Amino acid sequence: MIGLVSVTAAGAAASARLVAAWPDGTRCYDGPTAEAVRRAWGECDQLVCFLATGATVRLVAPMLGDKRSDPAVVCVDEAGRHAVALLGGHRDGTADGCGANQLAEQVAGVLGASPVITTATDVTGVPGLDTLGLPVEGAVAAVSRALLDQEPVQVQVDVAWPLPALPGTAVQSDQSKPDRSKPGQPRPRIVVTDRLLPAGAQTVLLRPPSLVVGVGASRGVSADEVEQLIGAALAHGGLSMASVGALATVHDKADEAGLVTVADRLGVPLSTFPASRLASVAVPNPSAAPLAAVGTPSVAEAAALVAAGADDLLVPKRKSAMATVAVARRAPRGRLTLVGLGPGARDLLTPRAIAELRSASVVIGLDQYVDQIRDLLRPGTHVLASGLGDEEARAQEAVTTARSGRSVALVGSGDAGVYAMASPALEFAGDDIDIDIVGIPGVTANLAASALLGAPLGHDHAVVSLSDLHTPWEAIEARVRAAAVGDFVVTFYNPRSLNRRQQLPLALDILREHRPPTTPVGVVREATRADEQVLLTTLADLDVDVVDMRSVVIVGSTNTRAVAGRMVTPRGYRWMS
Ligand code: SAH
């Protein structure tokens, strides 16, 4: 819940806009200001104060406690120009809502204000170690300081896991030069591990969710018993509870309250498998009891192995009165995101695409596209940019790199799935589901051009690429003919290059056989980029020399018309004369 505190009329008006934007997520606090802030502080996870920062600081100062549990606080000035993240900047991704940095961005978005963010790691683009999406322990402040000061930080990867980029001064130990630090002077270190290790004054432990705990239980087992047994098994194996990524059991126990509660407490899923699947796994310690009860000689060990996709257990079966547990480690799953960058303008790049670019440690794409977003990448991001023509090699490299356990973004203009890299990447990834693959849609050239021209795609339309590099011309011609006969609006991609000059005139001739010479045609070059050109003409008047590879051509259907200089394809036929 976001508590809103305003004093002046302007503050109240801005506050009302937040209420209108988030009716279920906000609550207004009225009355004497100090009292209102005190009540909001006690009842809300996030506060937006339409007050000066100084006034807000004085009001909340007596209530400050722990930075992990204090509410996030954002101040908005009287003119509604700035949304200042005042307190709790990084408390992101918790059940209590986002931290003040993100809240400031959201508030600024609604009010048309500028967010003001002062936490060092956000401002410099160096990732806050507590914002990597993994639990972190140890000397977070000291190691963050070292990263900010560009001191060398050793990264030791005990368990490979896809992470966002770390700054260039963070170097994996196996590649780093011999340790020149003076004996007795430990160097700052980041260790990615699920093991229990002594952290020390200069070490941060990042906990990947790499452990799977298989659990068997008798009906009615208590959550406390299960949790204690898990704790004991992990301690026995020298493993950290913070790295438990899933619990696993047999289907029959899917609603066993003790197991469900422990999964909730740990914030992990409870995966279940049919007894027949568990029975098919060879385990070190099979037993007769579960065979009789649920139909498999092993629940804990078999479920841990199956859920982790592992061959060996880290901790074999351990028992308490009513439960059994076993622990396995899952292989790291790399992540490949196929990110559409939109047609060119920065504000047509989606926030989701930006978030993915910033959480990738490797970005792969055509150099002109990578250049479009280079400034958004975290320092230390490994960039593999290449020239035109290497599409397959790029797609292959992206998949191979993700398979090594890294977090890879493969970028393309418009949408990455439209005449772009997503298809070769998915084909190359094949049927092995060994990496997570996520598509992030982008605004295509077709949509950007359509919006600039008016509404040419208001009714059925077809998109045809005129590039005969990978498609025989006969096939392209047949499709154009079908679209012509079907009276589709047609968008031509890759319409014309220095070496391919004949295709567009041929395609237009086919359309001319089925449409009047007055049919509107739109040509959009460099849509939403600096050299954008928009031309509305007709089938009879189109001069193909204005068209190049950075253009799309949209030819209207027999219903498309020009309205006040805009190209419009009517939605239905009932208004037709
Ligand atoms: N994935 C892209 C298409 C890549 S194919 C998308 O979703 O839009 C490359 C072709 O797209 C170019 O030859 C041109 O026809 C078209 N194109 C891409 N960006 C464009 C832009 N900003 N303006 C006009 N056409 C563009």
Side-chain angles (χ1 to χ4, degrees):
M1 184 58 62
I2 307 176
L4 306 175
V5 181
S6 57
V7 181
T8 63
S15 171
R17 287 169 65 191
L18 295 189
V19 174
W22 306 315
D24 298 329
T26 44
R27 189 180 299 156
C28 293
Y29 289 83
D30 305 321
T33 316
E35 174 55 25
V37 169
R38 202 162 24 247
R39 276 188 296 131
W41 182 275
E43 293 170 12
C44 299
D45 315 306
Q46 299 166 310
L47 259 66
V48 179
C49 298
F50 297 89
L51 293 171
T53 49
T56 311
V57 167
R58 283 180 204 290
L59 290 169
V60 301
M63 301 181 285
L64 288 177
D66 185 313
K67 81 173 192 177
R68 276 167 302 200
S69 51
D70 284 346
V73 181
V74 167
C75 290
V76 178
D77 65 292
E78 180 71 7
R81 277 208 304 263
H82 299 107
V84 184
L86 191 69
L87 267 182
H90 276 162
R91 222 203 35 182
D92 287 348
T94 64
D96 302 333
C98 61
N101 293 349
Q102 216 175 323
L103 182 62
E105 307 253 6
Q106 292 169 354
V107 169
V110 174
L111 300 180
S114 304
V116 179
I117 288 159
T118 57
T119 39
T121 50
D122 288 275
V123 171
T124 55
V126 174
L129 290 169
D130 48 353
T131 65
L132 294 175
L134 300 185
V136 6
E137 295 163 22
V140 177
V143 175
S144 297
R145 180 84 263 143
L147 287 173
L148 278 175
D149 292 347
Q150 307 200 337
E151 282 171 24
V153 172
Q154 210 177 55
V155 181
Q156 193 179 314
V157 179
D158 190 7
V159 175
W161 209 257
L163 293 174
L166 293 166
T169 51
V171 181
Q172 282 208 13
S173 352
D174 53 355
Q175 302 158 6
S176 66
K177 304 194 181 88
D179 189 349
R180 295 218 183 85
S181 60
K182 293 188 195 121
Q185 260 193 8
R187 276 228 309 235
R189 234 179 14 142
I190 298 170
V191 188
V192 185
T193 184
D194 54 23
R195 295 178 191 282
L196 294 171
L197 295 175
Q202 292 286 323
T203 302
V204 160
L205 303 177
L206 282 182
R207 298 299 191 186
S210 48
L211 303 177
V212 177
V213 181
V215 195
S218 306
R219 185 72 48 215
V221 68
S222 76
D224 289 344
E225 177 177 340
V226 174
E227 197 170 357
Q228 273 166 26
L229 184 61
I230 293 174
L234 291 169
H236 177 78
L239 299 166
S240 166
M241 189 77 113
S243 273
V244 174
L247 301 188
T249 188
V250 66
H251 269 352
D252 281 15
K253 303 288 177 187
D255 52 5
E256 183 63 42
L259 303 191
V260 174
T261 305
V262 174
D264 273 358
R265 283 185 197 165
L266 296 177
V268 300
L270 174 64
S271 314
T272 64
F273 300 92
S276 56
R277 175 81 182 89
L278 300 184
S280 68
V281 179
V283 296
N285 302 295
S287 106
L291 186 59
V294 288
T296 165
S298 164
V299 173
E301 292 188 337
L305 289 172
V306 171
D311 296 327
D312 304 308
L313 293 164
L314 293 178
V315 183
K317 182 167 74 179
R318 293 175 68 88
K319 288 201 277 194
S320 63
M322 294 178 74
T324 55
V325 302
V327 185
R329 180 181 286 142
R330 50 186 179 189
R333 281 176 76 77
R335 180 179 170 89
L336 174 61
T337 49
L338 307 163
V339 182
L341 302 180
R346 171 57 57 88
D347 56 358
L348 290 177
L349 173 63
T350 66
R352 190 179 296 188
I354 294 174
E356 287 292 344
L357 292 171
R358 291 178 62 78
S359 68
S361 67
V362 183
V363 171
I364 301 182
L366 197 62
D367 34 22
Q368 72 197 62
Y369 302 146
V370 172
D371 287 345
Q372 202 175 311
I373 43 91
R374 213 179 270 274
D375 60 300
L376 291 173
L377 305 179
R378 302 242 200 199
T381 307
H382 190 48
V383 177
L384 296 167
S386 54
L388 262 177
D390 292 340
E391 278 85 1
E392 296 212 302
R394 266 200 304 279
Q396 201 159 331
E397 175 125 45
V399 173
T400 312
T401 311
R403 283 211 168 112
S404 74
R406 304 186 74 179
S407 176
V408 180
L410 180 60
V411 303
S413 83
D415 184 273
V418 175
Y419 301 121
M421 306 290 297
S423 341
L426 292 176
E427 280 181 298
F428 185 75
D431 292 330
D432 287 344
I433 315 167
D434 54 354
I435 49 176
D436 292 325
I437 302 184
V438 180
I440 312 294
V443 177
T444 62
N446 191 26
L447 294 179
S450 162
L452 287 165
L453 287 165
L457 308 182
H459 212 289
D460 299 338
H461 49 278
V463 180
V464 180
S465 165
L466 292 183
S467 166
D468 53 3
L469 229 55
H470 304 293
T471 312
W473 174 249
E474 296 70 43
I476 297 174
E477 202 178 82
R479 284 171 201 168
V480 175
R481 200 170 293 285
V485 172
D487 200 22
F488 287 91
V489 173
V490 185
T491 301
F492 292 118
Y493 269 67
N494 303 303
R496 193 164 179 266
S497 71
L498 282 177
N499 307 323
R500 286 192 304 100
R501 291 169 169 277
Q502 282 319 303
Q503 285 83 352
L504 182 62
L506 289 172
L508 292 171
D509 282 345
I510 296 172
L511 290 170
R512 284 189 188 106
E513 291 168 22
H514 299 268
R515 297 178 193 187
T518 50
T519 304
V521 174
V523 178
V524 178
R525 197 174 165 273
E526 303 272 32
T528 82
R529 298 182 189 142
D531 296 326
E532 174 182 285
Q533 285 170 335
V534 181
L535 171 71
L536 181 58
T537 176
T538 61
L539 260 182
D541 293 340
L542 174 64
D543 170 10
V544 290
D545 284 340
V546 302
V547 178
D548 66 5
M549 270 305 270
R550 293 164 176 261
S551 323
V552 286
V553 177
I554 305 187
V555 180
S557 69
T558 56
N559 297 301
T560 305
R561 52 184 67 185
V563 180
R566 296 208 168 80
M567 189 172 172
V568 180
T569 304
R571 279 279 286 124
Y573 298 114
R574 61 205 151 103
W575 295 294
M576 290 288 299
S577 50

